[in-house]
Amino acid sequence: MADPMPDIKSIARKALDWPARILFPPVCAGCRRHVSQPGVLCGACWPKLRLLERPWCPVMGTPFIHHMGEGFLSAEAIADPPPFERARAAVAYSGVARQMVQGLKYQDRTDLAPWMARWMLRAGAELIAEADVVVPVPLHWRRFFRRQFNQSAELARAVSQLGSLPFAPSAVRRVKLTRQQVGLERREREENVRAAFRVPEEAEIEIAGRRVLLIDDVYTTGATVRAVAKALKKGGAGTVDVLTFARVLPGDFRADESATI
């Protein structure tokens, strides 16, 4: 005879959830309309989300219009090989994805992080399967003090939990208080984050010889994750992969666009 306890426990959990759902009904992760369950998009927002799908560049993760053949690299990967091994992103940085990133980063919507991380797991399945440790792009301590949280760390924590991977939030530090990247051209962004990151001696054991999965919210020009990847490898990491929630696709970057991270 089947054990009735699992069903009883499930019913009890649902009963306990009801007061919270009445007081705090779930809302769309994009526009905040009421929806059936937390973390989903409403019918109006879902079509505005562009999931990044194969075929894509095996290094940069940028999508191709057509399948170009096994191992075919994008012009970006050939012209400017990155210090990381692979980069992947869940969605294009536009529409509702932009709203979600800005909600997490500027409106304290940390409740979005676990749901954004689920899409990141889908896009970065091969990276997660091979990763040894999850590391977020760090904030400078002064900026962290003002903001009280690091959006990249929130995403990285959720990715580590969902992927059952060790989480090393202090494996790399931002040792230089950099300018905000918004409004800077590509070369200015690279100069802004040059030598801005370092692996502290006490953290080297966490990454030594390991495959590090580096997490950030948005891949814009790649200047920040390139700088962090260099610091991680200098600190002893075996290889570095990059996983972000959103990606500004080549050709979409506008330095003077205030909405671009």
Side-chain angles (χ1 to χ4, degrees), residues 34 75 94 96 115 127 151 159 196:
H34 288 175
S94 61
V96 69
W115 307 104
L127 278 58
Q151 74 281 355
V159 167

Side-chain angles (χ1 to χ4, degrees), residues 106-166:
Y106 300 121
Q107 299 165 22
D108 299 337
R109 291 290 311 280
T110 54
D111 59 294
L112 292 176
W115 307 104
M116 294 164 74
R118 291 179 188 277
W119 283 322
M120 293 169 70
L121 256 69
R122 176 181 177 274
E126 59 186 321
L127 278 58
I128 291 164
E130 299 174 15
D132 296 316
V133 61
V134 176
V135 173
V137 169
L139 283 179
H140 190 271
W141 68 268
R142 290 184 183 176
R143 193 159 288 150
F144 181 85
F145 183 78
R146 289 198 300 269
R147 193 178 293 173
Q148 297 297 308
F149 75 98
N150 175 4
Q151 74 281 355
S152 299
E154 295 299 318
L155 291 172
R157 182 180 292 106
V159 167
S160 72
Q161 290 172 349
L162 292 170
S164 300
L165 290 168

Side-chain angles (χ1 to χ4, degrees), residues 213-237:
L213 183 60
L214 179 63
I215 302 293
D216 204 2
D217 54 351
V218 182
Y219 187 114
T220 305
T221 65
T224 300
V225 293
R226 283 171 178 263
V228 180
K230 287 178 182 177
L232 285 165
K233 294 183 83 171
K234 187 176 180 180

Side-chain angles (χ1 to χ4, degrees), residues 136-140 172-176 178 181 192-200 216 223-232 234:
V137 169
L139 283 179
H140 190 271
V172 62
R173 290 179 186 165
R174 191 183 292 248
V175 295
K176 183 172 79 171
T178 55
Q181 296 280 64
N192 188 39
V193 294
R194 193 184 304 280
F197 304 96
R198 180 173 59 84
V199 175
D216 204 2
T224 300
V225 293
R226 283 171 178 263
V228 180
K230 287 178 182 177
L232 285 165
K234 187 176 180 180

Side-chain angles (χ1 to χ4, degrees), residues 62-85:
T62 47
F64 294 136
I65 297 175
H66 305 291
H67 181 60
M68 308 298 286
E70 193 67 30
F72 188 90
L73 299 181
S74 62
E76 181 184 7
I78 296 169
D80 189 15
F84 50 80
E85 189 166 319

